[in-house]
Every structure is written in C-alpha cells, then in structure tokens.
Amino acid sequence: MDTTPPLPLRKQRDYRLLWSARTISITGSEVSKLAVPLTAITLLTASPAEMGLLTAAAPLPALLFGLQAGAIADRLTRHRPLMIACELVSCAAAATVPLAWLLGVLTVPWLIIVALVIGTAGVIFKSANFPYIAAVVDPSQRTEAMAGFHASYSVASVSGPGLAGILVQTLTAPFAVLAEALSFLASAVLLRSIRTPEHNEPSRSSSMWRDIVEGLRTSLTHPTLRAVLGAGVTINFFAMAYIAVYMLYMVNTLDIPKGMIGFLTALSGAGGLLGAWLTSRLSKRYGENRILLVSVLFFPLDILAVGLLTGPLWVKLTVLGLTGVMTGVIVVAFATCMGVITLRDTPAALRGRVNATMTFAVQGVLAVGGLVGGVLAEFMGLRPVILLSAAGIALSSLWIWLSPLRPNRPQTSHTPPAPPHNPAPETLKNLIESKRHSVI
C-alpha cells in the first residue's frame, strides 16, 4: 500500500481546477442575484406578485427535486460528465436573457423559467459534486478541501455584489446576466480539464422511491448523521427567524446607517475566509468533532450581542463588526466540519442521497423559519424575536453534545454498514444574502 503523503492541495492541479470552477460559477451567480431582479423591476415593471414568484423560483427546485437528484447521483459510475452538463444547461439558460432582451421578447415569466432551469441544474450539480470530491481529494485532506470550497462562497459574497454593481452600471442589467452565463461556461471548461479518474461503485436499485427512503433512513438513524442534520435544521430555522427581522431592527431600533449594513455584511464574508484558513489547520490538531462542538457553542453569540446592544453608534458598529467577523468564522467552521463528517460517515453508495437529504432539510426549513420570525415580531416586537432566535440556536449544541460526536464520549464505528446490494433494498441538502447565519 502506498504510504506516500499526498501533495498539498495548492499543488494539486485537479483540485485547483475544481475549486476554481466553483469559485467562478458562484461569483457569476452572485452577479445575477442583483442583475435579474433589477431587470424585472426597472425594465419589465414587474409587480410585487411577480417579484415574489421570481424570488421563490431560485430555491424551489431544491424542494422539488433535491431528493431525486441525490438518488440519481448515487446511481452514477462517473459524476463529472453530469456536472459539466449542468453547467452548460445553466449557461444556455442565462444567455437567453440578454438575447431575449435584444429581440424584444423578454418578460418576467421568461426570467422565472430561467431561474427554475438554473436552480434545477444547480441542485443536480451539487448532488453530483459532493460524492465527486471523494474521487479528487485524498481522505486526509477533505477538511482542507471543504474549507476551500466554503471560502469560495465567502469570496463570492464579498466580490459578487460589487462586481454586479459595476456590470449593471456599464452594461445594463440584462447584459450583466451574461456574466453569469460566461461563468457557467468557464466552470464547464475547467471541469472538463480535470484528469483524475473516477470509478464510483453505483448503487443498485429498481425504484426511485426506495432510493430516496434509504437516504432518509440513513440520515435519521445513524447517530452522527442525525446529530449534524438536527443541528443544521435547528440553526437554520432560528437564523431565518432572526434574518426576517434583522434589517428592520438594525435600521429602526439600533439606528444603523443603511450604508453601513452592507459593510458589516462584507466583514462577515471576510470572516468566512479566516474561518476556512483556521478550520483547515485546527482540524489537524483537534479533529472535526471538537471544532463542530465549539462552533455550535459560539453560534448564538452574534445574535445575542445584536439583541442586547445599546449605546452610541461607534460602540454599536464596533461590536457588530467584531461579531460579524466571528459569525463568518463560525459559519464556515461548522459547514466545513458538517460536510466532512457527512462524507466520512456515509457509505460511498449513499453519499449523494444523504447529502441531498441534508440539503433538503436545512434549506427547506428556511421558509418556515422566516415566516415564524415575521409573525412573532408582529406580536412580540423585534428585540424579543432576536433574543428568542439566539436561545433557539443555542439548542443546536444539544444535538452534538448528546451524540457520539461529543469529545471523550464512548462511541462505535462512525461508518454504518453499506446497504445491501440487491435490486430492492429495504425501505424503512445561502448564507442568507443579508447575513451569513445559515449553515448550508
């Protein structure tokens, strides 16, 4: 057996290509988050109802097709061709926006369809990308690799809005969407250049429903997977309740200048870069389990500080700046360790489905949390909802503390037995734009 340590990730050509593909693609998507709504509002005079549909179109595919995408990913011998195809489909869909505007046929329903197509391709891409990481990255380097991918999101969250503003100002909103199309195309070219061979052992099944249920069953019955899933859902639910009232509270209660809110958000993105650097190094000494526990213990501190904050403006800005950076660090640390533990403790034949289940749950709960936060604020006020959100997020630590992930807790093997290889196995997945509190 070859015991030669792998090269550092920064020297591995294929990892650099994979990381660059994701960073470019995500940054292009950040540009479209500003360009598409501006196109609808300023050029197509979209109504509030149409804007609501356009906003809902992007995350909807994760709820409609997320679980099925995971099942499809687990049936593949090679994941990269599907990932390339998804990027090319997204490129073609985004490119229709400036083309339709030139031809005079662009409408809000057109934008909604484009958002649905790109969203669906993105869901399928993510389901294939998660197990594909195992083919490109050595197991000993997965934490560093995951941290690198989360750093991509931090880079995009900091640079994307500024780039979007420049492109919209110089090219107009419809043509700024062309940047997203080109980013998808560049990602596909970079992925096509990867040379690492992939020989995944596909799962055997005769039923999509049985595949989905197997992924759900594994996520809910395996102790460590259930713990990270429960923690992720708890954090995202209460984080979204907080985000639903965050902007109102910052402007109306704390009297924070509107221009400073964007700066504070950028600090959180910078904290994400610091979090990626720290996590990849600390994990080598303390392990992912300990970092995960520490991150959930610190998660509610930013929200608690916001809920208790008073005093002159400079004190508020200083505290919010420091806690914003800390939030970026903690979010990336948690998300990185969650991804590594999920990849580590899930059988290879179930990685796509388990990841899809995780994504489905932690993203699906966002809508519920936002609704609850808004309704509670009507009856309780803004500050009580924020303090309640901090207390709710603190509960996420119980999921980790009561699981085998707790340090020094007696535990059995992390890896569950592989599913039976028969055709009918037994039945039994954004940072929020305004604040980076959601974990996936």
Coordinates of all heavy atoms in Angstrom, one line a residue, residues 248-324:
L248 N -35.0 45.4 9.7 CA -35.9 46.3 10.4 C -35.3 46.7 11.8 O -35.3 47.9 12.2 CB -37.3 45.7 10.7 CG -38.2 45.6 9.4 CD1 -39.4 44.8 9.8 CD2 -38.6 47.0 9.0
Y249 N -34.7 45.8 12.5 CA -34.1 46.0 13.8 C -32.9 46.9 13.7 O -32.7 47.8 14.5 CB -33.8 44.7 14.4 CG -33.2 44.8 15.8 CD1 -34.0 45.0 16.9 CD2 -31.8 44.7 16.0 CE1 -33.5 45.1 18.2 CE2 -31.3 44.8 17.3 CZ -32.1 45.0 18.4 OH -31.6 45.1 19.7
M250 N -32.1 46.6 12.7 CA -30.8 47.4 12.5 C -31.2 48.8 12.2 O -30.5 49.8 12.7 CB -30.0 46.8 11.4 CG -29.4 45.4 11.7 SD -28.0 45.4 12.8 CE -26.7 45.9 11.7
V251 N -32.1 49.1 11.3 CA -32.5 50.4 10.9 C -33.3 51.2 11.9 O -33.1 52.3 12.3 CB -33.1 50.4 9.5 CG1 -33.6 51.8 9.1 CG2 -32.2 49.8 8.5
N252 N -34.4 50.5 12.4 CA -35.4 51.2 13.2 C -35.1 51.2 14.7 O -35.5 52.2 15.4 CB -36.8 50.6 13.0 CG -37.3 50.7 11.6 OD1 -36.9 51.6 10.9 ND2 -38.2 49.8 11.2
T253 N -34.4 50.2 15.2 CA -34.1 50.1 16.6 C -32.7 50.5 17.0 O -32.5 51.3 17.9 CB -34.4 48.7 17.2 OG1 -35.7 48.3 16.9 CG2 -34.1 48.6 18.6
L254 N -31.7 50.0 16.2 CA -30.3 50.4 16.5 C -29.9 51.7 15.8 O -28.8 52.2 16.1 CB -29.4 49.2 16.1 CG -29.6 47.9 16.9 CD1 -28.6 46.9 16.5 CD2 -29.5 48.2 18.4
D255 N -30.7 52.1 14.8 CA -30.4 53.3 14.1 C -29.0 53.2 13.3 O -28.2 54.2 13.3 CB -30.3 54.6 15.0 CG -31.7 54.9 15.5 OD1 -32.7 54.8 14.8 OD2 -31.8 55.3 16.7
I256 N -28.8 52.1 12.8 CA -27.6 51.8 12.0 C -27.7 52.5 10.6 O -28.7 52.2 9.9 CB -27.2 50.3 11.9 CG1 -27.1 49.7 13.3 CG2 -26.0 50.1 11.0 CD1 -26.0 50.3 14.1
P257 N -26.8 53.3 10.1 CA -26.9 53.9 8.8 C -27.0 52.7 7.7 O -26.3 51.7 7.8 CB -25.7 54.7 8.6 CG -25.2 55.0 10.0 CD -25.6 53.8 10.8
K258 N -27.9 52.9 6.8 CA -28.2 51.9 5.8 C -26.9 51.5 5.0 O -26.7 50.3 4.7 CB -29.2 52.3 4.8 CG -30.6 52.6 5.4 CD -31.6 53.0 4.4 CE -33.0 53.2 5.0 NZ -33.0 54.3 6.0
G259 N -26.0 52.5 4.7 CA -24.8 52.2 4.0 C -23.8 51.3 4.8 O -23.1 50.5 4.2
M260 N -23.9 51.3 6.2 CA -23.0 50.5 7.0 C -23.5 49.1 7.0 O -22.7 48.2 7.3 CB -23.0 51.1 8.4 CG -22.3 52.4 8.5 SD -20.6 52.4 7.9 CE -19.9 51.2 8.9
I261 N -24.7 48.8 6.7 CA -25.2 47.4 6.8 C -24.5 46.5 5.8 O -24.1 45.4 6.0 CB -26.7 47.3 6.6 CG1 -27.4 48.0 7.8 CG2 -27.2 45.9 6.5 CD1 -28.9 48.1 7.7
G262 N -24.3 47.1 4.6 CA -23.6 46.4 3.5 C -22.1 46.1 3.9 O -21.5 45.1 3.7
F263 N -21.5 47.1 4.6 CA -20.1 47.0 5.1 C -20.0 45.9 6.1 O -19.1 45.1 6.1 CB -19.6 48.3 5.7 CG -18.3 48.2 6.3 CD1 -17.1 48.1 5.5 CD2 -18.2 48.3 7.7 CE1 -15.9 48.0 6.1 CE2 -16.9 48.2 8.3 CZ -15.8 48.1 7.5
L264 N -21.0 45.8 7.0 CA -21.0 44.8 8.1 C -21.2 43.4 7.5 O -20.6 42.4 7.9 CB -22.1 45.0 9.1 CG -21.9 46.3 9.9 CD1 -23.2 46.6 10.8 CD2 -20.7 46.2 10.8
T265 N -22.0 43.3 6.4 CA -22.1 42.0 5.7 C -20.8 41.6 5.1 O -20.5 40.4 5.1 CB -23.3 42.1 4.7 OG1 -24.5 42.5 5.3 CG2 -23.5 40.8 4.0
A266 N -20.1 42.5 4.5 CA -18.8 42.2 3.9 C -17.8 41.7 4.9 O -17.0 40.8 4.6 CB -18.3 43.4 3.1
L267 N -17.9 42.3 6.1 CA -17.0 41.8 7.2 C -17.3 40.4 7.5 O -16.4 39.6 7.8 CB -17.2 42.7 8.4 CG -16.5 44.1 8.4 CD1 -16.8 44.8 9.7 CD2 -15.0 44.0 8.2
S268 N -18.5 40.0 7.5 CA -18.9 38.6 7.7 C -18.3 37.7 6.7 O -17.8 36.6 6.9 CB -20.4 38.4 7.8 OG -20.8 37.1 8.1
G269 N -18.3 38.2 5.4 CA -17.7 37.4 4.3 C -16.2 37.3 4.5 O -15.6 36.2 4.3
A270 N -15.6 38.3 5.0 CA -14.1 38.3 5.2 C -13.9 37.3 6.4 O -12.9 36.6 6.4 CB -13.6 39.7 5.6
G271 N -14.8 37.3 7.4 CA -14.6 36.3 8.4 C -14.7 34.9 7.9 O -14.0 34.0 8.5
G272 N -15.5 34.7 6.9 CA -15.6 33.3 6.3 C -14.2 32.9 5.7 O -13.9 31.7 5.8
L273 N -13.5 33.8 5.1 CA -12.2 33.4 4.6 C -11.2 33.1 5.8 O -10.5 32.1 5.7 CB -11.6 34.6 3.8 CG -12.3 35.0 2.5 CD1 -11.7 36.2 1.9 CD2 -12.3 33.9 1.5
L274 N -11.3 33.8 6.8 CA -10.5 33.5 8.0 C -10.9 32.1 8.6 O -10.1 31.3 9.0 CB -10.7 34.6 9.1 CG -9.9 34.4 10.4 CD1 -8.4 34.3 10.2 CD2 -10.3 35.5 11.4
G275 N -12.2 31.9 8.6 CA -12.7 30.6 9.1 C -12.2 29.4 8.3 O -11.9 28.4 8.9
A276 N -12.2 29.6 7.0 CA -11.7 28.5 6.1 C -10.2 28.2 6.5 O -9.8 27.0 6.5 CB -11.8 28.9 4.7
W277 N -9.4 29.3 6.7 CA -8.0 29.1 7.0 C -7.8 28.4 8.3 O -7.0 27.5 8.5 CB -7.3 30.5 6.9 CG -5.8 30.4 7.2 CD1 -4.8 30.1 6.3 CD2 -5.2 30.7 8.4 NE1 -3.6 30.2 6.9 CE2 -3.8 30.5 8.2 CE3 -5.6 31.0 9.7 CZ2 -2.8 30.7 9.2 CZ3 -4.7 31.2 10.7 CH2 -3.3 31.0 10.5
L278 N -8.5 28.9 9.3 CA -8.4 28.3 10.7 C -8.9 26.9 10.7 O -8.2 26.0 11.4 CB -9.2 29.2 11.7 CG -8.6 30.5 12.0 CD1 -9.6 31.3 12.9 CD2 -7.3 30.4 12.8
T279 N -10.0 26.6 10.1 CA -10.6 25.2 10.2 C -9.6 24.2 9.6 O -9.4 23.1 10.2 CB -11.9 25.2 9.5 OG1 -12.8 26.2 10.1 CG2 -12.6 23.8 9.6
S280 N -9.0 24.5 8.4 CA -8.2 23.5 7.8 C -6.9 23.2 8.6 O -6.4 22.1 8.6 CB -7.8 24.0 6.4 OG -7.0 25.3 6.5
R281 N -6.5 24.2 9.5 CA -5.3 24.0 10.3 C -5.7 23.4 11.7 O -5.0 22.5 12.2 CB -4.6 25.3 10.5 CG -3.8 25.6 9.2 CD -3.6 27.1 9.0 NE -2.8 27.3 7.8 CZ -3.3 27.3 6.6 NH1 -4.6 27.0 6.4 NH2 -2.6 27.5 5.5
L282 N -6.7 23.9 12.3 CA -7.1 23.4 13.6 C -7.6 22.0 13.6 O -7.5 21.2 14.6 CB -8.1 24.3 14.3 CG -7.7 25.7 14.6 CD1 -8.8 26.6 15.1 CD2 -6.5 25.7 15.6
S283 N -8.2 21.6 12.5 CA -8.8 20.2 12.4 C -7.7 19.2 12.5 O -7.9 18.1 12.9 CB -9.5 20.0 11.1 OG -8.7 20.2 10.0
K284 N -6.5 19.5 12.0 CA -5.3 18.6 12.0 C -4.9 18.3 13.5 O -4.4 17.2 13.8 CB -4.2 19.1 11.2 CG -4.5 19.3 9.8 CD -3.3 19.9 9.0 CE -3.6 20.2 7.5 NZ -2.5 20.8 6.8
R285 N -5.1 19.2 14.4 CA -4.7 19.1 15.8 C -5.9 18.6 16.6 O -5.7 17.7 17.5 CB -4.2 20.4 16.3 CG -3.8 20.3 17.8 CD -3.1 21.6 18.2 NE -2.6 21.5 19.6 CZ -1.9 22.5 20.2 NH1 -1.6 23.6 19.5 NH2 -1.6 22.3 21.4
Y286 N -7.1 19.1 16.4 CA -8.2 18.8 17.3 C -9.3 17.9 16.7 O -10.1 17.4 17.4 CB -8.9 20.1 17.8 CG -7.9 21.1 18.5 CD1 -7.4 22.2 17.9 CD2 -7.5 20.8 19.8 CE1 -6.5 23.1 18.6 CE2 -6.6 21.6 20.5 CZ -6.2 22.7 19.9 OH -5.3 23.6 20.6
G287 N -9.3 17.8 15.4 CA -10.3 17.0 14.7 C -11.6 17.7 14.5 O -11.9 18.7 15.1
E288 N -12.3 17.2 13.5 CA -13.6 17.9 13.1 C -14.6 17.9 14.2 O -15.4 18.8 14.3 CB -14.2 17.3 11.8 CG -13.3 17.5 10.6 CD -12.2 16.5 10.5 OE1 -12.1 15.5 11.3 OE2 -11.3 16.7 9.6
N289 N -14.7 16.8 15.0 CA -15.7 16.7 16.0 C -15.6 17.8 17.0 O -16.6 18.4 17.4 CB -15.6 15.3 16.7 CG -16.0 14.2 15.8 OD1 -16.2 14.3 14.6 ND2 -16.0 13.0 16.4
R290 N -14.4 18.1 17.5 CA -14.3 19.1 18.5 C -14.6 20.5 17.9 O -15.2 21.4 18.6 CB -12.8 19.1 19.0 CG -12.5 17.9 20.0 CD -11.1 18.0 20.4 NE -10.8 16.9 21.3 CZ -11.0 16.8 22.6 NH1 -11.5 17.9 23.2 NH2 -10.6 15.8 23.3
I291 N -14.1 20.8 16.7 CA -14.4 22.1 16.1 C -15.9 22.3 15.9 O -16.4 23.4 16.1 CB -13.6 22.2 14.7 CG1 -12.1 22.1 15.0 CG2 -14.0 23.4 14.0 CD1 -11.3 22.1 13.7
L292 N -16.6 21.2 15.5 CA -18.0 21.3 15.3 C -18.7 21.7 16.6 O -19.6 22.5 16.7 CB -18.6 19.9 14.8 CG -20.0 20.0 14.4 CD1 -20.1 20.6 13.0 CD2 -20.6 18.6 14.3
L293 N -18.3 21.0 17.7 CA -18.9 21.3 19.0 C -18.6 22.8 19.4 O -19.5 23.5 19.9 CB -18.4 20.4 20.1 CG -19.0 20.6 21.5 CD1 -20.5 20.5 21.5 CD2 -18.3 19.6 22.5
V294 N -17.4 23.2 19.3 CA -17.1 24.6 19.6 C -17.9 25.6 18.8 O -18.3 26.6 19.3 CB -15.5 24.8 19.5 CG1 -15.2 26.3 19.6 CG2 -14.8 24.0 20.5
S295 N -18.0 25.3 17.5 CA -18.7 26.2 16.6 C -20.2 26.4 17.0 O -20.7 27.5 17.0 CB -18.6 25.8 15.2 OG -19.3 24.6 14.9
V296 N -20.9 25.3 17.4 CA -22.3 25.4 17.8 C -22.4 26.1 19.1 O -23.4 26.8 19.4 CB -23.0 24.1 17.8 CG1 -23.1 23.4 16.5 CG2 -22.3 23.1 18.8
L297 N -21.4 26.0 20.0 CA -21.4 26.8 21.3 C -21.3 28.3 21.1 O -21.9 29.1 21.8 CB -20.3 26.3 22.2 CG -20.4 24.9 22.7 CD1 -19.2 24.5 23.5 CD2 -21.7 24.7 23.6
F298 N -20.6 28.7 20.0 CA -20.4 30.1 19.8 C -21.4 30.7 18.8 O -21.5 31.9 18.6 CB -19.0 30.4 19.2 CG -17.9 30.4 20.2 CD1 -17.3 29.3 20.6 CD2 -17.5 31.6 20.8 CE1 -16.3 29.3 21.6 CE2 -16.6 31.7 21.7 CZ -15.9 30.5 22.2
F299 N -22.2 29.8 18.2 CA -23.1 30.3 17.1 C -24.1 31.4 17.6 O -24.3 32.4 16.9 CB -24.0 29.1 16.6 CG -23.8 28.8 15.2 CD1 -23.3 27.6 14.7 CD2 -24.1 29.8 14.2 CE1 -23.1 27.4 13.4 CE2 -24.0 29.6 12.9 CZ -23.5 28.4 12.4
P300 N -24.7 31.3 18.8 CA -25.7 32.3 19.1 C -25.2 33.6 19.6 O -25.9 34.6 19.8 CB -26.5 31.6 20.2 CG -25.5 30.7 20.9 CD -24.7 30.2 19.7
L301 N -23.8 33.8 19.8 CA -23.3 34.9 20.4 C -23.5 36.2 19.6 O -23.7 37.3 20.1 CB -21.8 34.7 20.7 CG -21.4 33.7 21.8 CD1 -20.0 33.6 22.1 CD2 -22.2 33.9 23.1
D302 N -23.4 36.1 18.3 CA -23.6 37.3 17.4 C -25.0 37.8 17.6 O -25.2 39.0 17.7 CB -23.2 36.9 16.0 CG -23.5 38.0 15.0 OD1 -23.5 39.2 15.5 OD2 -23.7 37.8 13.8
I303 N -26.0 36.9 17.5 CA -27.4 37.3 17.6 C -27.7 37.8 19.0 O -28.4 38.8 19.1 CB -28.3 36.1 17.2 CG1 -28.0 35.7 15.8 CG2 -29.8 36.5 17.4 CD1 -28.9 34.5 15.4
L304 N -27.1 37.2 20.0 CA -27.3 37.7 21.3 C -26.8 39.1 21.5 O -27.4 39.9 22.1 CB -26.7 36.7 22.3 CG -26.9 37.0 23.8 CD1 -28.3 37.0 24.2 CD2 -26.0 36.1 24.7
A305 N -25.6 39.3 20.9 CA -25.0 40.6 21.0 C -25.8 41.7 20.3 O -26.0 42.8 20.9 CB -23.6 40.6 20.4
V306 N -26.4 41.3 19.2 CA -27.3 42.3 18.5 C -28.5 42.5 19.3 O -29.0 43.7 19.4 CB -27.7 41.7 17.1 CG1 -28.8 42.5 16.5 CG2 -26.5 41.6 16.2
G307 N -29.1 41.5 20.0 CA -30.3 41.7 20.7 C -30.1 42.5 22.0 O -31.1 43.1 22.5
L308 N -28.9 42.5 22.6 CA -28.7 43.2 23.8 C -28.0 44.6 23.6 O -27.7 45.3 24.5 CB -27.8 42.4 24.7 CG -28.4 41.0 25.2 CD1 -27.4 40.3 26.0 CD2 -29.7 41.3 26.0
L309 N -27.6 44.9 22.3 CA -26.8 46.0 22.0 C -27.5 47.4 22.3 O -28.6 47.6 21.9 CB -26.3 45.9 20.6 CG -25.2 46.9 20.1 CD1 -24.0 46.7 21.0 CD2 -24.9 46.6 18.7
T310 N -26.8 48.3 23.0 CA -27.2 49.6 23.2 C -26.0 50.5 23.2 O -24.8 50.0 23.1 CB -28.0 49.8 24.5 OG1 -27.1 49.4 25.6 CG2 -29.2 49.0 24.6
G311 N -26.2 51.8 23.3 CA -25.0 52.7 23.4 C -24.9 53.6 22.2 O -25.7 53.6 21.2
P312 N -23.8 54.4 22.1 CA -23.6 55.3 21.0 C -23.3 54.5 19.7 O -22.9 53.3 19.7 CB -22.3 56.1 21.4 CG -21.7 55.3 22.5 CD -22.8 54.5 23.2
L313 N -23.4 55.2 18.6 CA -23.2 54.5 17.3 C -21.9 53.8 17.1 O -21.8 52.7 16.6 CB -23.4 55.5 16.2 CG -23.3 55.0 14.7 CD1 -24.4 53.9 14.5 CD2 -23.4 56.1 13.7
W314 N -20.8 54.4 17.6 CA -19.5 53.8 17.4 C -19.3 52.5 18.2 O -18.7 51.6 17.7 CB -18.4 54.8 17.8 CG -18.2 55.1 19.3 CD1 -18.8 56.1 20.0 CD2 -17.4 54.3 20.2 NE1 -18.5 56.0 21.3 CE2 -17.6 54.9 21.5 CE3 -16.6 53.2 20.1 CZ2 -17.0 54.5 22.6 CZ3 -16.0 52.8 21.2 CH2 -16.1 53.4 22.5
V315 N -20.0 52.4 19.3 CA -20.0 51.2 20.1 C -20.7 50.1 19.3 O -20.3 49.0 19.2 CB -20.5 51.4 21.5 CG1 -20.7 50.1 22.2 CG2 -19.7 52.3 22.3
K316 N -21.9 50.5 18.8 CA -22.7 49.5 18.1 C -22.0 49.0 16.9 O -21.9 47.8 16.6 CB -24.0 50.2 17.6 CG -24.9 50.6 18.8 CD -26.2 51.3 18.2 CE -27.0 51.8 19.3 NZ -28.2 52.6 18.8
L317 N -21.3 49.9 16.1 CA -20.6 49.5 14.9 C -19.4 48.6 15.2 O -19.1 47.6 14.5 CB -20.2 50.7 14.1 CG -21.3 51.5 13.5 CD1 -20.7 52.7 12.8 CD2 -22.1 50.7 12.5
T318 N -18.7 48.9 16.3 CA -17.6 48.1 16.7 C -18.0 46.7 17.1 O -17.4 45.7 16.6 CB -16.8 48.8 17.9 OG1 -16.4 50.1 17.5 CG2 -15.6 48.0 18.3
V319 N -19.0 46.6 17.9 CA -19.5 45.3 18.4 C -20.0 44.5 17.2 O -19.7 43.3 17.0 CB -20.6 45.4 19.5 CG1 -21.2 44.1 19.8 CG2 -20.0 46.1 20.7
L320 N -20.8 45.1 16.3 CA -21.4 44.4 15.2 C -20.3 44.0 14.2 O -20.4 42.9 13.6 CB -22.4 45.3 14.5 CG -23.7 45.6 15.2 CD1 -24.5 46.7 14.5 CD2 -24.5 44.3 15.4
G321 N -19.2 44.8 14.1 CA -18.1 44.5 13.2 C -17.4 43.2 13.7 O -17.1 42.3 12.9
L322 N -17.1 43.2 15.0 CA -16.4 42.1 15.6 C -17.2 40.8 15.6 O -16.7 39.8 15.2 CB -16.0 42.4 17.0 CG -14.9 43.5 17.2 CD1 -14.7 43.9 18.7 CD2 -13.6 43.1 16.6
T323 N -18.5 40.9 15.9 CA -19.3 39.7 15.9 C -19.6 39.3 14.5 O -19.8 38.1 14.3 CB -20.6 40.0 16.7 OG1 -21.3 41.1 16.1 CG2 -20.4 40.3 18.1
G324 N -19.6 40.2 13.5 CA -19.8 39.8 12.2 C -18.7 39.0 11.6 O -18.9 38.0 11.0

